[in-house]
Amino acid sequence: MITLSEKARTMPASPMRKLVPYAEEAKKRGVKVYHLNIGQPDIETPREALDAIAAMREPIIYYTHSAGKESYRRGLAEYYNGLGIPPITYEDVLVTTGGSEAIVFAFMACLDPGDEVLIPEPFYANYNGFAVEAGVKVVTVGSTIDNDFALPPIPEMERALTDRTRAILICNPNNPTGYLYSEEEIRELGRMAARHDMFLIVDEVYREFCYDGASHFSALNLVEQADNVVMIDSISKRYSMCGARLGAIVTRNRDIIDAALRLGQARLCPPFVAQVAAEAALRTPQSYFDRVKEEYTARRNLLVSELNKIDGVRCPMPRGAFYAIAELPVDNAEEFARWMLEKFSFEGATVMLAPASGFYATGASGAKQVRIAYVLNKEDLTKAVKCLEMGLKEYNRR
């Protein structure tokens, strides 16, 4: 009997998308589905990017350099330098096909098959898939809802290290928790990485989304650990350009850039049209980001306030990104989320959630939790939370 590869068999399904067939069936029944399961912003893409695509007059959509267009890489370096980060040059930047490819390239450049990457959990579920692709083992150390998912104590993280641990990976601000790591937490991680000869890979795709006057501290500030630090970036969330599929690896470690370039040569180049749009998006005025942050702040405040009014629900206040983890008064949040799509509607609508168990590596750790993306407008968000409240009441009366 012919069988697929072990990699194909062990590739995990996305917890954000695994319930899609149930949502599709609900829609066929005429039920409106409020999608709180996936981080697809409804914010408009900057006009600068859309106009650049419309104005394209190139007679050929050609291959660019495997590292990305030099003009775009120079523009990205200028953008990073404008954040107050110690100088970055365009040679420190390699453009990738989405932030996803950037993480896979980082894994493949920094770790051998069988090596381990240490990640605080809960974590962005697709890191599991990227690790499978690269042959890397994910090892976790837990953060908890009780302290808003803060970084676990460094001694606890160090106890999780083995002779195969080669990297630490965090997302800052965090997907799925919305936790914003402080400057001191990032510096502690940098010192830990240097102390144990490991790489510190930091996914910073949500850096523009920090709230309550907080500011983002980039791992690129860790110049003393420059050889250890790999920063992952993407245009998906910053400019609401998820479908453009364009990201970047940024590091002062030229050996990593060289290795990633050779990996990039195997896929030829990142998307040409996306680079045209992204280069133009670098001219997006600050007023755009101010409006977006104001909107997400209002949505966050509304969501967390309304969730915590529901009997038995607990939801910490996220300080970044546009996600929140909520603990529900159910034994199994995945079964509840499926039931909401299969069996329930309120005023002709239901809610699609992302079960948080898929963001944990350790079994039942997130069994009662869901990740909620507050990417709907405030009116729809209010209706979605009401629908969730009514669903919980009916589910627990069964």
Side-chain angles (χ1 to χ4, degrees):
M1 178 179 175
I2 193 165
T3 60
L4 298 179
S5 69
E6 181 181 355
K7 189 171 291 187
R9 295 194 303 273
T10 57
M11 189 71 176
S14 167
M16 294 83 77
R17 297 175 183 266
K18 67 188 297 184
L19 298 179
V20 165
Y22 301 99
E24 291 173 341
E25 287 301 316
K27 292 173 185 177
K28 289 177 182 178
R29 299 193 304 270
V31 177
K32 178 178 177 60
V33 178
Y34 291 110
H35 283 272
L36 301 177
N37 61 301
I38 194 165
Q40 170 57 66
D42 64 352
I43 303 295
E44 289 189 0
T45 301
R47 193 76 249 164
E48 289 77 5
L50 299 176
D51 288 347
I53 295 172
M56 281 182 58
R57 295 294 180 267
E58 283 81 356
I60 301 172
I61 305 298
Y62 55 82
Y63 290 131
T64 70
H65 192 288
S66 294
K69 292 175 63 180
E70 182 176 324
S71 59
Y72 177 47
R73 291 159 65 204
R74 287 185 180 275
L76 276 176
E78 185 177 339
Y79 157 73
Y80 298 129
N81 293 332
L83 300 175
I85 291 168
I88 289 289
T89 76
Y90 81 97
E91 294 175 313
D92 300 323
V93 179
L94 184 133
V95 182
T96 58
T97 306
S100 302
E101 184 180 75
I103 296 172
V104 173
F105 280 8
F107 280 172
M108 295 177 72
C110 299
L111 294 88
D112 288 319
D115 282 346
E116 297 173 355
V117 56
L118 182 66
I119 313 177
E121 65 173 353
F123 59 87
Y124 176 49
N126 282 340
Y127 292 160
N128 275 321
F130 305 149
V132 170
E133 289 182 38
V136 171
K137 180 182 178 182
V138 170
V139 175
T140 61
V141 58
S143 63
T144 73
I145 196 170
D146 296 323
N147 66 352
D148 299 346
F149 301 103
L151 183 73
I154 294 297
E156 184 179 337
M157 296 185 70
E158 289 183 315
R159 285 194 292 272
L161 302 180
T162 73
D163 58 0
R164 295 305 300 266
T165 312
R166 295 284 293 141
I168 308 165
L169 170 61
I170 65 165
C171 181
N172 187 35
N174 188 268
N175 174 9
T177 68
Y179 185 81
L180 177 65
Y181 293 95
S182 68
E183 176 178 344
E184 182 53 31
E185 286 173 320
I186 298 298
R187 290 195 183 279
E188 284 184 345
L189 288 172
R191 291 190 288 266
M192 176 182 167
R195 194 161 57 244
H196 296 281
D197 294 322
M198 299 186 299
F199 296 99
L200 175 59
I201 304 171
V202 184
D203 181 345
E204 298 187 359
V205 305
Y206 297 97
R207 81 167 57 81
E208 265 73 24
F209 309 106
C210 302
Y211 311 119
D212 305 325
S215 59
H216 178 264
F217 183 80
S218 173
L220 292 175
N221 286 295
L222 305 180
V223 291
E224 292 184 1
Q225 294 91 34
D227 282 347
N228 304 79
V229 172
V230 184
M231 191 272 280
I232 304 299
D233 204 3
S234 168
I235 66 170
S236 291
K237 315 302 181 180
R238 180 183 309 134
Y239 303 118
S240 194
M241 292 171 65
C242 295
R245 308 312 305 135
L246 208 66
I249 289 177
V250 187
T251 177
R252 297 182 180 88
N253 186 324
R254 292 296 170 81
D255 289 338
I256 295 175
I257 291 292
D258 179 64
L261 176 59
R262 284 178 276 123
L263 291 166
Q265 287 169 344
R267 59 86 167 104
L268 303 181
C269 76
F272 174 90
V273 176
Q275 291 184 77
V276 170
E279 188 170 351
L282 290 169
R283 300 192 297 271
T284 302
Q286 182 59 41
S287 57
Y288 171 88
F289 299 107
D290 293 341
R291 290 194 303 272
V292 171
K293 184 182 289 189
E294 181 180 359
E295 176 64 20
Y296 277 130
T297 300
R299 294 179 184 187
R300 178 202 65 162
N301 294 344
L302 170 65
L303 174 74
V304 175
S305 173
E306 293 304 306
L307 283 174
N308 284 318
K309 290 177 183 177
I310 301 174
D311 188 35
V313 173
R314 180 166 55 146
C315 181
M317 180 67 78
R319 298 188 67 211
F322 38 70
Y323 306 100
I325 291 279
E327 191 166 271
L328 307 180
V330 297
D331 290 331
N332 189 307
E334 182 168 341
E335 290 181 4
F336 168 71
R338 188 167 61 246
W339 176 87
M340 286 286 289
L341 294 169
E342 284 188 299
K343 307 290 187 182
F344 178 79
S345 66
F346 173 70
E347 296 182 348
T350 192
V351 174
M352 186 174 183
L353 305 163
S357 56
F359 298 90
Y360 288 84
T362 50
S365 296
K368 297 184 176 183
Q369 298 173 1
V370 292
R371 187 198 72 169
I372 295 177
Y374 43 95
V375 293
L376 303 181
N377 63 63
K378 292 187 288 293
E379 180 181 356
D380 283 348
L381 202 55
T382 300
K383 293 177 180 177
V385 176
K386 184 62 177 179
C387 188
L388 174 61
E389 178 184 13
M390 301 307 291
L392 283 168
K393 287 181 179 178
E394 184 169 328
Y395 185 79
N396 287 323
R397 278 199 302 262
R398 296 173 309 146

